[in-house]
Amino acid sequence: MRKGRFASVSGSPELVAPLSLADLLLVDVSAADDQSDERIGTERVRTLTHSAVFLLASHFAAGATILAGLVSAGNHSSLLGVIIPLAAVLLLDAGFWFTTRRHRTRKLKPHLVIRFAAVYVMAVGFLWSLLAAPALAGVTPENGAAIRVALTLGFSLPIAAFLSIPIIVVANGVITVAAAYLFDGNPLLVGGLAAIGGSVSWFSLYSARDAVLSSNRRLAVEWEAQKARRFVLEFEQSGRGWFWETNADGALSYVSDQLAEDFDVPASELLGRTFADLLMVEDSGTAEASERTLSFHLSARFPFSDVTVRANTAKDVWWSLSGSPNFDDYGRFLGFRGIGTDLTEKRRSEAEISRLARYDSLTGLPNRAQMRQTLEEALRNGAKRRASCSLFLIDLDRFKNVNDTLGHPAGDELLRQVAQRLSSVIGDQGQIGRLGGDEFKAVLPDLGSERRLAALAERLIHKVSMPYMIGGHSVSIGASVGIAIAPPEGACADALIRDADLALYAAKAAGRGTHCFYAPEMHSDAKDRQILENDLRNAAMREELKLLYQPLVNAVTEDVVGFEALLRWEHPTRGTIMPSEFVPLAEECGLIVGIGEWVLRTACADAATWPEHVSVAVNLSPIQFSSPGLTSIVMNALASAEIDPARLELEITESVFLVDSPATDEIFSQLKSIGVRLVLDDFGTGYSSLGYLKKAPFDKIKIDQSFVRGAATVGSRNAAIVRAIVAMAEGLGMETTAEGAETLDELTLIRQLGCSQVQGHIFGHPMGAAEALELGSRSKNGSSDANERAPRHGLIRLATLNWNGEALPVRLRNISSGGALLESERGLDAGSEVHLDLPGCGVLAAEVRWSQSGRLGISFLEEFDLKKLAPPKKRGASNVQMLKPSYLDLKPEEPAQLAEKRPKPKDIRRY
């Protein structure tokens, strides 16, 4: 059928117009089952080639028979009339055979090939008709039958060879009838041939019509089948699934390549195997139930859908199978046909999602939800067995500093290392998990002894507090632990978590780095803490915050050289609240940076009214120190107050060095470039690593009051610690301030040990800005820069002190350009004018600043040149002779008992 007679409606071909006579004439009935142009060209030409050979042989045999009959009859006159048409027929047969063998001919369209064959048959029929007349003219009774049979075969053989092509049959019939009429004229012969040709032509056309209609139906079915095959292939190649089919015996009759790949064998090797053999049977679990369900449906011939099974292979392969039974028109069971989907990746993804839903992706520890489930199970089991269950809530101290200075990747690595340490400490005693951020939880079944829990918490805190190496930086953090114990009769998980949380807050409020057990009164403390936090948020706007100033005094001259700003909160109902109560709260809720900026601006503004030689010291929170805008805040405060940056001292605690990072060094560099002075506060109580003193640009070290108080007591080691700190500071070119001095004994010891400055109640309690202004105005500016302490040298040398005409022998203990410490058996009143006769240095006019326990502190009226103390330089000696510090010669002495003792004030936490 010619291309273009079919149209596609909804994707399948159908006949769109009745068949015309021209269409039927050009139909090849033998190829009607496959009318696609792609196949008919080659196949039909190959068939015509065989027909041409058949016709060539048949025409040659028929012609030979006719010639033999004429020769035997002696009718030589008709031979020439037969030989010439016969030769032409044979040449046409040979030419047709040769043409059909050419490769180019096989590429022709089918209808062109049929037309070419029809022209060939008509030409052969015409030429055969030309030889019919001479052949019939030579017919005799002896050869008549043979000649007529040969002529009939010559006319009928093309019809037999091309019976499947109506146009050739019709053309051959027309030529035969025409030839009989022209060369014979016998009406009976012409009529007979016409009847025979018409019948054959009608039969050929009718067969062609039925073949075409049948071909259309088959083509539509095949089109649908091809489309279905394409869909199947596309579906299987997409990886979304595959098809399977079994016969009535349950053996596989169709296997996709994707299914065969799961078994690493060709698909042909799986054909014939029982489908159930491809499934793995397990002892328990979902796979077993699914396999039983599938076996039931297969044996009962019931359809099934989305049955999950595991493949019987070494690989972990899972399928989702759906299938339905297949029956023929008579109800006979033919087998199952269905679809399968690979669930392997999906199950892996679900398993990973399930794991992520229960475990922390960063540390690999159970997450909040999993730990909640673990706690509930532990409480249920404990209630059944009448056993206790304990809960640890762990919060990391100073973790935010690591994130702020080294970045979040370093913080993540730190959390991973912390998780490993926590797991090693808890071990098999319980389950450790991460709640989020820097919070961890530990569930401890069957552990209710406070002694054992306390020991475990201490080991945990110690382990976590050990230094870490993160990206080449040494990092130190801490941990606080809240502990809650469930009673043996059981407890609610929410209540136990709340109790542990309250205990954790109590541990952090106690100074961090410790553990605390839950107590019932913590509920009221937590409620009070929440109220306090809400009040603190509005304290600055309500002007409830204020600054007090405690004087810093020169240890020798007792002149005020500066004030430390101390923050107080005047609550409308609670009264004065100390920093120890609200500063940790401000750090936790993020208010410390704003409060710290207010303190800095207020302190600089108050210092602007003081004399130029009086400085102001402001404490910086570690969080405030690591804030990116600290340098700008300091510069703005100095610019607004219009004070010299050297008058501002920033007191920083050792906790800023817990993270060894370039960011910390950069902040120090920026602050020093401004010109402010940096003070290391609370030295000896925190991190206490001497390594940072090598590079940190500190100007002063403040000795914590815990070393000063009680240092004068007999048997106390505090004096030795203070002596060592002073020696180290002098070696590094730093001043020292002893804070917390409350008694004269402590003051005397501080002076003996060589501290530069003293801070404590013995010289003044914290006072308001007006009192600080008045006290600062009365102080003397003993040097060009009161903040710079003159170099002090320790030595032992005899001298004479002239007072009121008396020459008093004294021993010189240490000396600076501004004063000296003397030992004398006779005490003098403060303010007495004296002259110190120092051998080799001349007579120095001075004033007695203090006198106690056989010691005198004098202040020179004119600056003393310390170079005069150097002995004459010997040949080969160094230009500078190192003077031995006096504290190396001092031995612990029992201080004199004083008649009056000052009352010891309450501990005050400074901000």
Side-chain angles (χ1 to χ4, degrees), residues 594-657:
I595 294 176
E597 181 177 357
W598 177 86
V599 170
L600 191 61
R601 290 181 178 274
T602 304
C604 290
D606 291 341
T609 64
W610 302 340
E612 291 293 331
H613 67 279
V614 178
S615 64
V616 62
V618 178
N619 290 272
L620 291 183
S621 165
I623 297 177
Q624 185 182 5
F625 179 83
S626 61
S627 64
L630 175 63
T631 305
S632 299
I633 293 174
V634 173
M635 294 178 64
N636 291 335
L638 292 172
S640 299
E642 298 181 354
I643 65 173
D644 185 1
R647 295 180 59 195
L648 176 61
E649 295 182 352
L650 299 178
E651 297 189 2
I652 304 166
T653 60
E654 298 169 333
S655 59
V656 300
F657 298 102

Coordinates of all heavy atoms in Angstrom, one line a residue, residues 594-657:
G594 N 26.0 45.9 75.2 CA 25.3 47.2 75.3 C 25.6 47.8 76.7 O 25.9 49.0 76.8
I595 N 25.6 47.0 77.8 CA 25.9 47.5 79.1 C 27.3 47.9 79.2 O 27.7 49.0 79.8 CB 25.5 46.4 80.2 CG1 24.0 46.2 80.2 CG2 26.0 46.9 81.5 CD1 23.6 45.1 81.1
G596 N 28.2 47.1 78.6 CA 29.6 47.4 78.6 C 29.9 48.7 77.9 O 30.8 49.5 78.3
E597 N 29.3 49.0 76.8 CA 29.5 50.3 76.1 C 29.0 51.4 77.0 O 29.7 52.5 77.0 CB 28.7 50.2 74.8 CG 28.9 51.5 74.0 CD 28.2 51.4 72.6 OE1 27.6 50.4 72.3 OE2 28.2 52.5 71.9
W598 N 27.9 51.3 77.6 CA 27.4 52.4 78.5 C 28.5 52.6 79.6 O 28.8 53.8 80.0 CB 26.1 52.0 79.1 CG 25.6 53.0 80.1 CD1 24.8 54.1 79.8 CD2 25.8 53.0 81.5 NE1 24.6 54.8 80.9 CE2 25.1 54.2 82.0 CE3 26.4 52.2 82.4 CZ2 25.1 54.5 83.4 CZ3 26.4 52.5 83.7 CH2 25.8 53.6 84.2
V599 N 29.0 51.6 80.2 CA 30.0 51.7 81.3 C 31.2 52.5 80.8 O 31.8 53.4 81.4 CB 30.4 50.3 81.8 CG1 31.6 50.4 82.8 CG2 29.2 49.7 82.6
L600 N 31.7 52.1 79.6 CA 32.9 52.7 79.0 C 32.7 54.2 78.7 O 33.5 55.0 79.1 CB 33.3 52.0 77.7 CG 34.6 52.3 77.1 CD1 35.7 51.9 78.1 CD2 34.8 51.5 75.8
R601 N 31.5 54.5 78.2 CA 31.3 56.0 77.9 C 31.1 56.8 79.2 O 31.6 57.9 79.3 CB 30.0 56.1 77.0 CG 30.2 55.5 75.6 CD 28.9 55.7 74.8 NE 29.1 55.3 73.4 CZ 29.5 56.0 72.4 NH1 29.9 57.3 72.7 NH2 29.7 55.5 71.2
T602 N 30.4 56.2 80.1 CA 30.2 56.9 81.4 C 31.5 57.1 82.1 O 31.8 58.2 82.7 CB 29.2 56.2 82.2 OG1 28.0 56.0 81.5 CG2 28.8 56.9 83.5
A603 N 32.3 56.1 82.2 CA 33.6 56.2 82.9 C 34.5 57.2 82.3 O 35.2 58.0 83.0 CB 34.3 54.8 83.0
C604 N 34.6 57.3 81.0 CA 35.4 58.2 80.3 C 34.9 59.7 80.5 O 35.7 60.6 80.7 CB 35.5 57.9 78.8 SG 36.4 56.5 78.4
A605 N 33.6 59.8 80.5 CA 33.0 61.1 80.7 C 33.3 61.6 82.2 O 33.6 62.8 82.4 CB 31.5 61.1 80.5
D606 N 33.2 60.7 83.2 CA 33.5 61.1 84.5 C 35.0 61.4 84.7 O 35.4 62.4 85.4 CB 33.1 60.0 85.5 CG 31.6 59.9 85.6 OD1 30.9 60.8 85.3 OD2 31.2 58.8 86.1
A607 N 35.9 60.6 84.0 CA 37.3 60.9 84.1 C 37.7 62.2 83.5 O 38.8 62.7 83.8 CB 38.1 59.7 83.4
A608 N 36.9 62.7 82.6 CA 37.3 64.0 81.9 C 37.3 65.1 83.0 O 37.9 66.2 82.7 CB 36.3 64.3 80.8
T609 N 36.6 65.0 84.1 CA 36.5 66.0 85.1 C 37.6 65.9 86.1 O 37.8 66.8 87.0 CB 35.1 66.0 85.8 OG1 35.0 64.7 86.5 CG2 34.0 66.1 84.8
W610 N 38.4 64.8 86.1 CA 39.4 64.6 87.1 C 40.7 65.2 86.6 O 40.9 65.6 85.5 CB 39.7 63.1 87.3 CG 38.5 62.3 87.7 CD1 37.3 62.8 88.3 CD2 38.3 60.9 87.6 NE1 36.4 61.8 88.5 CE2 37.0 60.6 88.1 CE3 39.0 59.8 87.1 CZ2 36.5 59.3 88.2 CZ3 38.5 58.5 87.2 CH2 37.3 58.3 87.7
P611 N 41.7 65.3 87.6 CA 43.0 65.8 87.2 C 43.6 64.9 86.1 O 43.3 63.8 86.0 CB 43.8 65.8 88.5 CG 42.8 65.8 89.5 CD 41.6 65.1 89.0
E612 N 44.6 65.5 85.3 CA 45.1 64.8 84.2 C 45.9 63.6 84.6 O 46.0 62.6 83.8 CB 46.1 65.8 83.4 CG 45.3 66.9 82.7 CD 44.5 66.4 81.6 OE1 44.9 65.3 81.0 OE2 43.4 67.0 81.2
H613 N 46.5 63.6 85.8 CA 47.3 62.4 86.2 C 46.5 61.3 86.8 O 47.1 60.2 87.1 CB 48.4 62.9 87.2 CG 47.8 63.3 88.5 ND1 47.2 64.5 88.8 CD2 47.7 62.5 89.7 CE1 46.8 64.6 90.0 NE2 47.0 63.4 90.6
V614 N 45.2 61.4 86.9 CA 44.4 60.4 87.5 C 43.7 59.6 86.3 O 43.0 60.2 85.5 CB 43.3 61.0 88.4 CG1 42.4 59.8 88.9 CG2 43.9 61.7 89.5
S615 N 43.9 58.3 86.3 CA 43.4 57.4 85.3 C 42.1 56.8 85.7 O 41.7 56.8 86.9 CB 44.4 56.3 84.9 OG 44.7 55.5 86.0
V616 N 41.5 56.1 84.8 CA 40.2 55.3 85.0 C 40.4 53.9 84.4 O 40.9 53.8 83.3 CB 39.0 56.0 84.5 CG1 39.1 56.2 83.0 CG2 37.7 55.3 84.9
A617 N 40.0 52.9 85.2 CA 40.1 51.5 84.8 C 38.7 51.0 84.6 O 37.9 51.1 85.5 CB 40.9 50.7 85.8
V618 N 38.5 50.4 83.4 CA 37.2 49.8 83.1 C 37.4 48.3 82.8 O 38.3 47.9 82.0 CB 36.6 50.5 81.9 CG1 35.2 49.9 81.5 CG2 36.4 52.0 82.2
N619 N 36.5 47.5 83.3 CA 36.6 46.0 83.1 C 35.9 45.7 81.8 O 34.8 46.2 81.5 CB 36.0 45.3 84.2 CG 36.8 45.3 85.5 OD1 37.7 44.5 85.8 ND2 36.5 46.3 86.3
L620 N 36.5 44.8 81.0 CA 35.9 44.3 79.8 C 35.5 42.8 80.0 O 36.3 42.0 80.4 CB 36.9 44.4 78.6 CG 37.2 45.8 78.1 CD1 38.2 45.7 76.9 CD2 36.0 46.6 77.8
S621 N 34.3 42.5 79.6 CA 33.8 41.1 79.6 C 34.5 40.4 78.5 O 34.8 41.0 77.4 CB 32.3 41.1 79.5 OG 31.9 39.8 79.1
P622 N 34.8 39.1 78.6 CA 35.3 38.4 77.5 C 34.5 38.4 76.2 O 35.0 38.5 75.1 CB 35.4 36.9 78.0 CG 35.5 37.1 79.5 CD 34.7 38.3 79.8
I623 N 33.2 38.4 76.4 CA 32.3 38.6 75.3 C 32.4 39.9 74.6 O 32.4 40.1 73.4 CB 30.8 38.3 75.7 CG1 30.7 36.9 76.2 CG2 29.9 38.6 74.5 CD1 29.3 36.5 76.7
Q624 N 32.5 41.0 75.4 CA 32.7 42.3 74.9 C 34.1 42.4 74.2 O 34.2 43.1 73.2 CB 32.6 43.3 76.1 CG 32.6 44.8 75.6 CD 32.5 45.7 76.8 OE1 32.6 45.3 78.0 NE2 32.5 47.0 76.5
F625 N 35.1 41.8 74.8 CA 36.4 41.9 74.2 C 36.4 41.3 72.8 O 37.1 41.8 71.9 CB 37.4 41.2 75.1 CG 38.8 41.2 74.5 CD1 39.7 42.3 74.7 CD2 39.3 40.1 73.8 CE1 40.9 42.3 74.2 CE2 40.6 40.1 73.3 CZ 41.4 41.2 73.5
S626 N 35.7 40.2 72.6 CA 35.7 39.5 71.3 C 34.7 40.1 70.3 O 34.6 39.7 69.1 CB 35.4 38.0 71.4 OG 34.1 37.9 72.0
S627 N 33.9 41.1 70.7 CA 33.0 41.7 69.8 C 33.7 42.5 68.7 O 34.7 43.2 69.0 CB 32.0 42.6 70.5 OG 32.7 43.7 71.1
P628 N 33.2 42.5 67.5 CA 34.0 43.2 66.4 C 34.0 44.7 66.5 O 34.9 45.3 66.0 CB 33.2 42.7 65.1 CG 31.9 42.1 65.6 CD 32.1 41.8 67.0
G629 N 33.1 45.3 67.2 CA 33.1 46.8 67.3 C 33.7 47.3 68.5 O 33.5 48.5 68.8
L630 N 34.6 46.6 69.2 CA 35.2 47.1 70.5 C 36.1 48.3 70.2 O 36.0 49.3 70.9 CB 35.9 45.9 71.1 CG 36.7 46.3 72.4 CD1 35.8 46.8 73.5 CD2 37.6 45.2 72.9
T631 N 36.9 48.2 69.2 CA 37.8 49.3 68.9 C 37.1 50.6 68.6 O 37.5 51.7 69.1 CB 38.8 48.9 67.8 OG1 39.4 47.7 68.0 CG2 39.8 50.0 67.5
S632 N 36.0 50.5 67.8 CA 35.3 51.7 67.5 C 34.6 52.3 68.7 O 34.5 53.5 68.9 CB 34.2 51.3 66.4 OG 34.9 50.9 65.3
I633 N 34.1 51.4 69.6 CA 33.4 51.8 70.8 C 34.4 52.6 71.7 O 34.1 53.7 72.3 CB 32.8 50.6 71.6 CG1 31.6 50.1 70.7 CG2 32.3 51.1 72.9 CD1 31.1 48.8 71.3
V634 N 35.6 52.0 71.9 CA 36.6 52.7 72.7 C 37.0 54.1 72.1 O 37.1 55.1 72.8 CB 37.9 51.8 72.8 CG1 39.0 52.5 73.6 CG2 37.5 50.5 73.6
M635 N 37.2 54.1 70.8 CA 37.6 55.4 70.2 C 36.5 56.4 70.3 O 36.8 57.6 70.6 CB 38.0 55.1 68.7 CG 39.2 54.3 68.5 SD 39.5 54.0 66.8 CE 39.9 55.6 66.2
N636 N 35.3 56.0 70.1 CA 34.2 57.0 70.3 C 34.0 57.5 71.7 O 33.7 58.7 71.9 CB 32.9 56.3 69.8 CG 32.8 56.0 68.3 OD1 33.5 56.7 67.6 ND2 32.0 55.1 67.9
A637 N 34.2 56.6 72.7 CA 34.1 57.0 74.1 C 35.2 58.0 74.4 O 35.0 59.0 75.1 CB 34.2 55.8 75.0
L638 N 36.4 57.8 73.9 CA 37.6 58.7 74.2 C 37.3 60.0 73.5 O 37.6 61.1 74.1 CB 38.9 58.1 73.7 CG 39.4 56.8 74.5 CD1 40.6 56.2 73.8 CD2 39.7 57.2 75.9
A639 N 36.8 60.0 72.3 CA 36.6 61.2 71.5 C 35.5 62.0 72.2 O 35.5 63.2 72.2 CB 36.3 60.9 70.1
S640 N 34.4 61.3 72.6 CA 33.3 62.1 73.2 C 33.7 62.7 74.5 O 33.3 63.9 74.8 CB 32.1 61.1 73.5 OG 31.7 60.5 72.3
A641 N 34.6 62.0 75.3 CA 35.0 62.6 76.6 C 36.2 63.5 76.5 O 36.5 64.3 77.4 CB 35.4 61.5 77.6
E642 N 36.9 63.5 75.3 CA 38.1 64.3 75.0 C 39.1 64.1 76.1 O 39.6 65.1 76.7 CB 37.7 65.8 74.9 CG 36.7 66.1 73.8 CD 36.4 67.5 73.7 OE1 36.8 68.3 74.6 OE2 35.7 67.9 72.7
I643 N 39.5 62.9 76.4 CA 40.6 62.6 77.3 C 41.7 61.9 76.6 O 41.5 61.3 75.5 CB 40.1 61.7 78.5 CG1 39.6 60.3 78.0 CG2 38.9 62.4 79.2 CD1 39.3 59.4 79.1
D644 N 42.9 61.9 77.2 CA 44.0 61.3 76.7 C 43.8 59.7 76.8 O 43.5 59.2 77.8 CB 45.3 61.7 77.5 CG 46.6 61.1 76.9 OD1 46.5 60.4 75.9 OD2 47.6 61.4 77.5
P645 N 44.1 59.0 75.6 CA 43.9 57.5 75.7 C 44.7 56.9 76.8 O 44.3 55.8 77.3 CB 44.3 57.1 74.3 CG 44.1 58.3 73.4 CD 44.4 59.5 74.3
A646 N 45.9 57.5 77.1 CA 46.7 56.9 78.1 C 46.1 56.9 79.5 O 46.5 56.1 80.4 CB 48.1 57.6 78.2
R647 N 45.1 57.7 79.7 CA 44.4 57.7 81.0 C 43.3 56.6 81.2 O 42.8 56.4 82.2 CB 43.7 59.1 81.2 CG 44.6 60.2 81.3 CD 43.9 61.5 81.5 NE 43.0 61.5 82.7 CZ 42.1 62.3 83.0 NH1 41.8 63.3 82.1 NH2 41.4 62.2 84.1
L648 N 43.1 55.9 80.1 CA 42.1 54.8 80.1 C 42.8 53.4 80.2 O 43.7 53.1 79.4 CB 41.2 54.8 78.8 CG 40.2 53.6 78.7 CD1 39.2 53.7 79.9 CD2 39.5 53.7 77.4
E649 N 42.5 52.7 81.3 CA 43.0 51.3 81.4 C 41.9 50.3 81.2 O 40.8 50.5 81.8 CB 43.6 51.2 82.8 CG 44.8 52.0 83.1 CD 45.4 51.8 84.5 OE1 44.7 51.1 85.3 OE2 46.5 52.3 84.8
L650 N 42.1 49.4 80.4 CA 41.1 48.3 80.1 C 41.6 47.1 80.8 O 42.6 46.5 80.4 CB 41.0 48.1 78.6 CG 40.5 49.3 77.8 CD1 40.4 49.0 76.3 CD2 39.1 49.8 78.3
E651 N 40.8 46.6 81.7 CA 41.1 45.4 82.5 C 40.5 44.2 81.9 O 39.3 44.1 81.6 CB 40.6 45.5 84.0 CG 41.3 46.7 84.7 CD 41.0 46.7 86.2 OE1 40.3 45.8 86.6 OE2 41.5 47.6 86.9
I652 N 41.4 43.2 81.5 CA 41.0 42.0 80.8 C 41.3 40.8 81.6 O 42.5 40.7 82.1 CB 41.6 42.0 79.4 CG1 41.3 43.3 78.7 CG2 41.2 40.8 78.6 CD1 42.2 43.5 77.5
T653 N 40.4 39.9 81.7 CA 40.7 38.6 82.5 C 41.4 37.6 81.6 O 41.5 37.7 80.3 CB 39.4 38.0 83.0 OG1 38.6 37.7 81.9 CG2 38.7 39.0 83.9
E654 N 42.0 36.6 82.2 CA 42.7 35.6 81.5 C 41.9 34.7 80.5 O 42.4 34.0 79.7 CB 43.5 34.7 82.5 CG 44.4 35.4 83.4 CD 44.9 34.6 84.5 OE1 44.2 33.7 84.9 OE2 46.1 34.8 85.0
S655 N 40.6 34.8 80.7 CA 39.7 33.9 79.9 C 39.8 34.3 78.4 O 39.4 33.4 77.5 CB 38.3 34.0 80.4 OG 37.8 35.3 80.3
V656 N 40.2 35.5 78.0 CA 40.3 35.8 76.6 C 41.4 35.0 75.9 O 41.4 35.0 74.7 CB 40.6 37.3 76.4 CG1 39.5 38.2 77.0 CG2 41.9 37.7 77.0
F657 N 42.3 34.4 76.7 CA 43.4 33.6 76.1 C 43.0 32.1 76.0 O 43.9 31.3 75.6 CB 44.7 33.8 76.9 CG 45.1 35.2 76.9 CD1 44.9 36.0 78.1 CD2 45.8 35.7 75.9 CE1 45.4 37.3 78.1 CE2 46.3 37.0 75.9 CZ 46.0 37.8 77.0

